[in-house]
Amino acid sequence: EPEVTQTPSHQVTQMGQEVILRCVPISNHLYFYWYRQILGQKVEFLVSFYNNEISEKSEIFDDQFSVERPDGSNFTLKIRSTKLEDSAMYFCASSSGEYTDTQYFGPGTRLTVL
Amino acid sequence: DAKTTQPNSMESNEEEPVHLPCNHSTISGTDYIHWYRQLPSQGPEYVIHGLTSNVNNRMASLAIAEDRKSSTLILHRATLRDAAVYYCILRDVQSNTGKLIFGQGTTLQVKP
């Protein structure tokens, strides 16, 4: 069964450093998402991406964040200058069709900012 | 998306049925009821969804009240692997956004 994959599984970085989290969505999917979950808290929406552009972003997704689909398979989330409060699990998700279609989530990347 | 209310936690015994309730009294006519779950240390996982009629799939059943103000996710025989946080989420079919809005969900414990 096709699945969403994410790398790395765990990323440790120093405050102020740039990180890139990578995702490979399911191959025929068209809609892509990033969510995050701070330890012990709810899963929060960050951004949705369709047709090579951001379709919606949350208040969390400020100028320090960016997303890109650099080729036909990868979908990346970049944080330019990490802060301590960026420490969280980051989940990538994809869906095939319309916005209300089922979203398939990856296993997540645990980001630890020291 | 309209708000949903779920109990914070529930317990079940292994191999017994589990009924997970969700209240959504302000649901609109175009809101679908979706259920996702999150197993420990994993990403959320789709379980089931419905609009008006009860739905069954290999994972679970979804019973929707006639007035649609509440629904119940039914796991027919809970296993230890079903221990997870279960989220009830409303999604408007007319929405131009795909984001899922997660609440706190119901943490299901399954006892052997």
Side-chain angles (χ1 to χ4, degrees):
Chain A
E1 186 174 319
E3 58 182 18
V4 176
T5 59
Q6 291 185 242
T7 54
S9 56
H10 190 190
Q11 173 88 50
V12 181
T13 190
Q14 296 290 327
M15 190 169 56
Q17 295 296 303
E18 174 183 288
V19 294
I20 297 177
L21 310 182
R22 291 184 166 80
C23 168
V24 179
I26 294 173
S27 64
N28 62 344
H29 284 188
L30 302 175
Y31 296 79
F32 312 109
Y33 307 87
W34 284 101
Y35 295 81
R36 80 170 188 190
Q37 186 174 32
I38 295 171
L39 187 64
Q41 297 188 22
K42 297 186 291 187
V43 178
E44 301 173 288
F45 167 78
L46 291 178
V47 65
S48 58
F49 190 86
Y50 169 69
N51 201 25
N52 279 320
E53 59 183 29
I54 290 173
S55 23
E56 185 177 3
K57 58 185 180 179
S58 71
E59 291 179 355
I60 303 167
F61 195 89
D62 61 22
D63 292 344
Q64 294 300 313
F65 291 87
S66 62
V67 289
E68 193 177 34
R69 189 154 160 81
D71 52 41
S73 59
N74 291 285
F75 180 50
T76 62
L77 173 69
K78 179 160 69 176
I79 309 174
R80 288 191 185 83
S81 178
T82 50
K83 309 185 190 73
L84 295 176
E85 54 264 37
D86 293 328
S87 294
M89 282 291 288
Y90 288 81
F91 296 108
C92 171
S94 68
S95 66
S96 60
E98 295 299 324
Y99 281 121
T100 50
D101 275 2
T102 297
Q103 290 183 21
Y104 294 85
F105 285 76
T109 292
R110 177 171 298 285
L111 176 65
T112 302
V113 182
L114 302 176
Chain B
D1 291 319
K3 186 174 172 60
T4 63
T5 305
Q6 299 178 251
N8 287 334
S9 62
M10 291 185 67
E11 278 186 3
S12 171
N13 293 317
E14 197 176 11
E15 298 189 5
E16 289 186 356
V18 183
H19 291 231
L20 297 164
C22 180
N23 287 320
H24 28 79
S25 57
T26 59
I27 192 170
S28 75
T30 53
D31 281 327
Y32 274 78
I33 303 158
H34 286 244
W35 284 80
Y36 282 73
R37 72 180 184 180
Q38 188 174 20
L39 302 173
S41 302
Q42 294 191 28
E45 171 187 38
Y46 167 79
V47 178
I48 200 166
H49 76 281
L51 183 63
T52 56
S53 304
N54 294 345
V55 184
N56 300 295
N57 67 19
R58 63 176 178 82
M59 288 180 72
S61 296
L62 177 59
I64 301 172
E66 198 170 328
D67 64 4
R68 300 207 328 123
K69 293 182 186 294
S70 65
S71 60
T72 303
L73 179 71
I74 302 166
L75 306 179
H76 294 286
R77 286 180 73 236
T79 68
L80 296 178
R81 196 192 172 276
D82 292 321
V85 181
Y86 286 80
Y87 302 100
C88 170
I89 300 171
L90 300 184
R91 304 189 72 194
D92 187 344
V93 70
Q94 296 180 337
S95 173
N96 61 358
T97 173
K99 67 182 179 186
L100 291 170
I101 301 176
F102 290 84
Q104 296 290 355
T106 296
T107 300
L108 176 65
Q109 292 183 319
V110 180
K111 296 185 286 186

